CSV table of all heavy atoms in Angstrom, one decimal:
chain,number,residue,atom,x,y,z
U,1131,ASP,N,-102.5,101.0,10.0
U,1131,ASP,CA,-101.5,100.1,10.5
U,1131,ASP,C,-102.2,98.8,11.0
U,1131,ASP,O,-101.6,97.6,10.8
U,1131,ASP,CB,-100.7,100.7,11.7
U,1131,ASP,CG,-99.6,101.6,11.2
U,1131,ASP,OD1,-99.4,101.7,9.9
U,1131,ASP,OD2,-98.9,102.2,12.0
U,1132,TYR,N,-103.3,98.9,11.7
U,1132,TYR,CA,-104.1,97.8,12.0
U,1132,TYR,C,-105.6,98.3,12.2
U,1132,TYR,O,-105.9,99.4,12.6
U,1132,TYR,CB,-103.6,97.1,13.3
U,1132,TYR,CG,-103.4,98.0,14.5
U,1132,TYR,CD1,-104.5,98.3,15.3
U,1132,TYR,CD2,-102.2,98.4,14.9
U,1132,TYR,CE1,-104.3,99.1,16.4
U,1132,TYR,CE2,-102.0,99.2,16.0
U,1132,TYR,CZ,-103.1,99.6,16.8
U,1132,TYR,OH,-102.9,100.4,17.9
U,1133,PHE,N,-106.5,97.3,12.0
U,1133,PHE,CA,-107.9,97.6,12.3
U,1133,PHE,C,-108.5,96.2,12.7
U,1133,PHE,O,-108.6,95.3,11.8
U,1133,PHE,CB,-108.7,98.1,11.1
U,1133,PHE,CG,-110.0,98.6,11.5
U,1133,PHE,CD1,-110.3,100.0,11.7
U,1133,PHE,CD2,-111.1,97.7,11.7
U,1133,PHE,CE1,-111.6,100.4,12.1
U,1133,PHE,CE2,-112.4,98.2,12.1
U,1133,PHE,CZ,-112.6,99.5,12.2
U,1134,ASN,N,-108.7,96.0,14.0
U,1134,ASN,CA,-109.2,94.7,14.5
U,1134,ASN,C,-110.5,94.8,15.2
U,1134,ASN,O,-110.8,95.9,15.8
U,1134,ASN,CB,-108.2,94.1,15.5
U,1134,ASN,CG,-106.7,94.1,15.0
U,1134,ASN,OD1,-106.5,93.9,13.8
U,1134,ASN,ND2,-105.8,94.5,15.9
U,1135,VAL,N,-111.3,93.8,15.2
U,1135,VAL,CA,-112.6,93.8,15.8
U,1135,VAL,C,-112.8,92.6,16.7
U,1135,VAL,O,-112.7,91.4,16.1
U,1135,VAL,CB,-113.8,94.0,14.9
U,1135,VAL,CG1,-115.1,94.1,15.7
U,1135,VAL,CG2,-113.7,95.2,14.0
U,1136,ASP,N,-113.0,92.7,18.0
U,1136,ASP,CA,-113.3,91.6,18.9
U,1136,ASP,C,-114.8,91.4,19.0
U,1136,ASP,O,-115.5,92.4,19.3
U,1136,ASP,CB,-112.7,91.9,20.3
U,1136,ASP,CG,-111.1,92.1,20.2
U,1136,ASP,OD1,-110.5,91.4,19.4
U,1136,ASP,OD2,-110.6,92.8,21.1
U,1137,PHE,N,-115.2,90.2,18.9
U,1137,PHE,CA,-116.6,89.8,19.2
U,1137,PHE,C,-116.5,88.9,20.5
U,1137,PHE,O,-116.2,87.7,20.3
U,1137,PHE,CB,-117.3,89.1,18.0
U,1137,PHE,CG,-117.3,90.0,16.8
U,1137,PHE,CD1,-116.2,90.0,15.9
U,1137,PHE,CD2,-118.4,90.8,16.5
U,1137,PHE,CE1,-116.3,90.8,14.8
U,1137,PHE,CE2,-118.5,91.6,15.4
U,1137,PHE,CZ,-117.4,91.6,14.5
U,1138,LEU,N,-116.9,89.4,21.6
U,1138,LEU,CA,-116.7,88.7,22.9
U,1138,LEU,C,-117.9,88.5,23.7
U,1138,LEU,O,-118.9,89.3,23.7
U,1138,LEU,CB,-115.7,89.6,23.7
U,1138,LEU,CG,-114.4,89.9,23.1
U,1138,LEU,CD1,-113.6,90.9,23.9
U,1138,LEU,CD2,-113.5,88.7,22.7
U,1139,ARG,N,-117.9,87.4,24.5
U,1139,ARG,CA,-118.8,87.1,25.5
U,1139,ARG,C,-118.3,87.6,26.8
U,1139,ARG,O,-117.1,87.4,27.1
U,1139,ARG,CB,-119.2,85.6,25.6
U,1139,ARG,CG,-120.4,85.3,26.4
U,1139,ARG,CD,-121.7,85.8,25.7
U,1139,ARG,NE,-122.9,85.3,26.5
U,1139,ARG,CZ,-124.1,85.8,26.2
U,1139,ARG,NH1,-124.2,86.7,25.3
U,1139,ARG,NH2,-125.1,85.2,26.9
U,1140,GLN,N,-119.1,88.2,27.6
U,1140,GLN,CA,-118.5,88.9,28.9
U,1140,GLN,C,-119.3,88.4,30.0
U,1140,GLN,O,-120.5,88.3,30.1
U,1140,GLN,CB,-118.7,90.4,28.7
U,1140,GLN,CG,-118.3,91.2,29.9
U,1140,GLN,CD,-118.8,92.6,29.8
U,1140,GLN,OE1,-119.9,92.9,30.3
U,1140,GLN,NE2,-118.0,93.6,29.3
U,1141,ARG,N,-118.6,88.0,31.0
U,1141,ARG,CA,-119.1,87.6,32.3
U,1141,ARG,C,-118.5,88.4,33.4
U,1141,ARG,O,-117.3,88.5,33.6
U,1141,ARG,CB,-118.9,86.1,32.6
U,1141,ARG,CG,-119.5,85.6,33.9
U,1141,ARG,CD,-119.4,84.1,34.1
U,1141,ARG,NE,-120.2,83.4,33.3
U,1141,ARG,CZ,-121.5,83.1,33.5
U,1141,ARG,NH1,-122.1,83.6,34.6
U,1141,ARG,NH2,-122.3,82.4,32.6
U,1142,ILE,N,-119.4,89.0,34.2
U,1142,ILE,CA,-118.9,89.9,35.3
U,1142,ILE,C,-119.3,89.3,36.7
U,1142,ILE,O,-120.3,88.8,36.9
U,1142,ILE,CB,-119.5,91.3,35.2
U,1142,ILE,CG1,-119.0,92.0,34.0
U,1142,ILE,CG2,-119.2,92.1,36.4
U,1142,ILE,CD1,-119.5,93.4,33.8
U,1143,THR,N,-118.3,89.3,37.6
U,1143,THR,CA,-118.5,88.9,39.0
U,1143,THR,C,-118.2,90.0,39.9
U,1143,THR,O,-117.1,90.7,39.7
U,1143,THR,CB,-117.7,87.7,39.3
U,1143,THR,OG1,-116.3,87.9,39.1
U,1143,THR,CG2,-118.1,86.5,38.5
U,1144,GLU,N,-119.1,90.3,40.8
U,1144,GLU,CA,-118.8,91.3,41.8
U,1144,GLU,C,-119.1,90.6,43.2
U,1144,GLU,O,-118.3,89.7,43.6
U,1144,GLU,CB,-119.7,92.5,41.6
U,1144,GLU,CG,-119.3,93.3,40.3
U,1144,GLU,CD,-120.1,94.6,40.1
U,1144,GLU,OE1,-121.0,94.9,40.9
U,1144,GLU,OE2,-119.8,95.3,39.1
U,1145,THR,N,-120.1,91.1,44.0
U,1145,THR,CA,-120.4,90.3,45.1
U,1145,THR,C,-121.0,89.0,44.8
U,1145,THR,O,-121.0,88.0,45.6
U,1145,THR,CB,-121.4,91.1,46.0
U,1145,THR,OG1,-122.5,91.5,45.1
U,1145,THR,CG2,-120.8,92.4,46.6
U,1146,GLU,N,-121.5,88.8,43.6
U,1146,GLU,CA,-122.0,87.5,43.1
U,1146,GLU,C,-121.9,87.5,41.6
U,1146,GLU,O,-121.4,88.5,41.0
U,1146,GLU,CB,-123.5,87.4,43.4
U,1146,GLU,CG,-124.4,88.6,42.9
U,1146,GLU,CD,-125.8,88.5,43.3
U,1146,GLU,OE1,-126.1,87.7,44.2
U,1146,GLU,OE2,-126.6,89.2,42.7
U,1147,ASP,N,-122.1,86.3,41.0
U,1147,ASP,CA,-122.0,86.2,39.5
U,1147,ASP,C,-123.2,86.9,38.9
U,1147,ASP,O,-124.3,86.5,39.1
U,1147,ASP,CB,-122.0,84.7,39.2
U,1147,ASP,CG,-121.6,84.5,37.7
U,1147,ASP,OD1,-121.8,85.4,36.9
U,1147,ASP,OD2,-121.1,83.4,37.4
U,1148,ILE,N,-123.0,88.0,38.2
U,1148,ILE,CA,-124.0,88.8,37.7
U,1148,ILE,C,-124.6,88.1,36.4
U,1148,ILE,O,-125.8,88.3,36.1
U,1148,ILE,CB,-123.5,90.2,37.4
U,1148,ILE,CG1,-123.2,90.9,38.7
U,1148,ILE,CG2,-124.5,91.0,36.6
U,1148,ILE,CD1,-122.6,92.3,38.5
U,1149,GLY,N,-123.8,87.4,35.6
U,1149,GLY,CA,-124.2,86.8,34.4
U,1149,GLY,C,-123.4,87.3,33.2
U,1149,GLY,O,-122.4,88.0,33.3
U,1150,THR,N,-123.9,87.0,32.0
U,1150,THR,CA,-123.2,87.2,30.8
U,1150,THR,C,-123.9,88.2,30.0
U,1150,THR,O,-125.1,88.5,30.1
U,1150,THR,CB,-123.1,85.9,30.0
U,1150,THR,OG1,-124.3,85.5,29.6
U,1150,THR,CG2,-122.3,84.8,30.7
U,1151,SER,N,-123.0,88.9,29.1
U,1151,SER,CA,-123.5,89.8,28.1
U,1151,SER,C,-122.6,89.7,26.9
U,1151,SER,O,-121.8,88.7,26.8
U,1151,SER,CB,-123.6,91.2,28.6
U,1151,SER,OG,-124.1,92.1,27.7
U,1152,TRP,N,-122.7,90.6,26.0
U,1152,TRP,CA,-121.8,90.6,24.8
U,1152,TRP,C,-121.0,91.9,24.8
U,1152,TRP,O,-121.4,92.9,25.3
U,1152,TRP,CB,-122.6,90.4,23.5
U,1152,TRP,CG,-123.7,91.4,23.3
U,1152,TRP,CD1,-125.0,91.2,23.6
U,1152,TRP,CD2,-123.6,92.7,22.8
U,1152,TRP,NE1,-125.8,92.3,23.3
U,1152,TRP,CE2,-124.9,93.2,22.8
U,1152,TRP,CE3,-122.6,93.4,22.2
U,1152,TRP,CZ2,-125.3,94.5,22.3
U,1152,TRP,CZ3,-122.9,94.7,21.8
U,1152,TRP,CH2,-124.2,95.2,21.8
U,1153,GLN,N,-119.9,91.9,24.0
U,1153,GLN,CA,-119.1,93.1,23.8
U,1153,GLN,C,-118.4,93.0,22.5
U,1153,GLN,O,-117.9,92.0,22.1
U,1153,GLN,CB,-118.0,93.2,24.9
U,1153,GLN,CG,-117.1,94.4,24.8
U,1153,GLN,CD,-116.1,94.5,25.9
U,1153,GLN,OE1,-116.5,94.4,27.1
U,1153,GLN,NE2,-114.8,94.8,25.6
U,1154,ILE,N,-118.6,94.2,21.7
U,1154,ILE,CA,-117.9,94.3,20.4
U,1154,ILE,C,-116.9,95.5,20.5
U,1154,ILE,O,-117.3,96.5,20.9
U,1154,ILE,CB,-118.9,94.5,19.3
U,1154,ILE,CG1,-119.9,93.4,19.2
U,1154,ILE,CG2,-118.3,94.7,18.0
U,1154,ILE,CD1,-121.0,93.6,18.2
U,1155,THR,N,-115.7,95.2,20.2
U,1155,THR,CA,-114.6,96.2,20.4
U,1155,THR,C,-113.8,96.3,19.1
U,1155,THR,O,-112.9,95.5,18.8
U,1155,THR,CB,-113.7,95.8,21.6
U,1155,THR,OG1,-114.5,95.7,22.8
U,1155,THR,CG2,-112.6,96.9,21.7
U,1156,PRO,N,-113.9,97.4,18.4
U,1156,PRO,CA,-113.0,97.7,17.3
U,1156,PRO,C,-111.8,98.5,17.8
U,1156,PRO,O,-111.9,99.3,18.8
U,1156,PRO,CB,-113.8,98.6,16.3
U,1156,PRO,CG,-114.9,99.2,17.2
U,1156,PRO,CD,-115.2,98.2,18.3
U,1157,VAL,N,-110.6,98.2,17.3
U,1157,VAL,CA,-109.3,98.8,17.7
U,1157,VAL,C,-108.6,99.2,16.5
U,1157,VAL,O,-108.5,98.4,15.5
U,1157,VAL,CB,-108.5,97.9,18.5
U,1157,VAL,CG1,-107.2,98.6,19.0
U,1157,VAL,CG2,-109.3,97.3,19.7
U,1158,TRP,N,-108.0,100.4,16.4
U,1158,TRP,CA,-107.5,100.8,15.1
U,1158,TRP,C,-106.3,101.8,15.3
U,1158,TRP,O,-106.2,102.4,16.4
U,1158,TRP,CB,-108.6,101.6,14.3
U,1158,TRP,CG,-108.9,103.0,14.9
U,1158,TRP,CD1,-108.4,104.2,14.7
U,1158,TRP,CD2,-110.0,103.2,15.8
U,1158,TRP,NE1,-109.0,105.1,15.4
U,1158,TRP,CE2,-110.0,104.5,16.1
U,1158,TRP,CE3,-110.9,102.3,16.5
U,1158,TRP,CZ2,-110.9,105.1,17.0
U,1158,TRP,CZ3,-111.8,102.9,17.4
U,1158,TRP,CH2,-111.8,104.2,17.6
U,1159,LYS,N,-105.5,101.9,14.3
U,1159,LYS,CA,-104.4,102.9,14.2
U,1159,LYS,C,-104.3,103.4,12.8
U,1159,LYS,O,-104.0,102.6,11.9
U,1159,LYS,CB,-103.1,102.4,14.8
U,1159,LYS,CG,-102.0,103.4,14.7
U,1159,LYS,CD,-100.7,102.8,15.3
U,1159,LYS,CE,-99.5,103.8,15.2
U,1159,LYS,NZ,-98.3,103.2,15.7
U,1160,LEU,N,-104.4,104.7,12.6
U,1160,LEU,CA,-104.3,105.3,11.2
U,1160,LEU,C,-103.3,106.4,11.2
U,1160,LEU,O,-103.5,107.4,11.7
U,1160,LEU,CB,-105.7,105.8,10.8
U,1160,LEU,CG,-105.7,106.6,9.4
U,1160,LEU,CD1,-105.4,105.6,8.3
U,1160,LEU,CD2,-107.1,107.3,9.2
């Protein structure tokens, strides 16, 4: 029904700005 892939830059903040990383997320329904 769908198969999508996200290629994302990720920035996390907690008590301070931790910085950036990357994230790849496939999503699907069969």
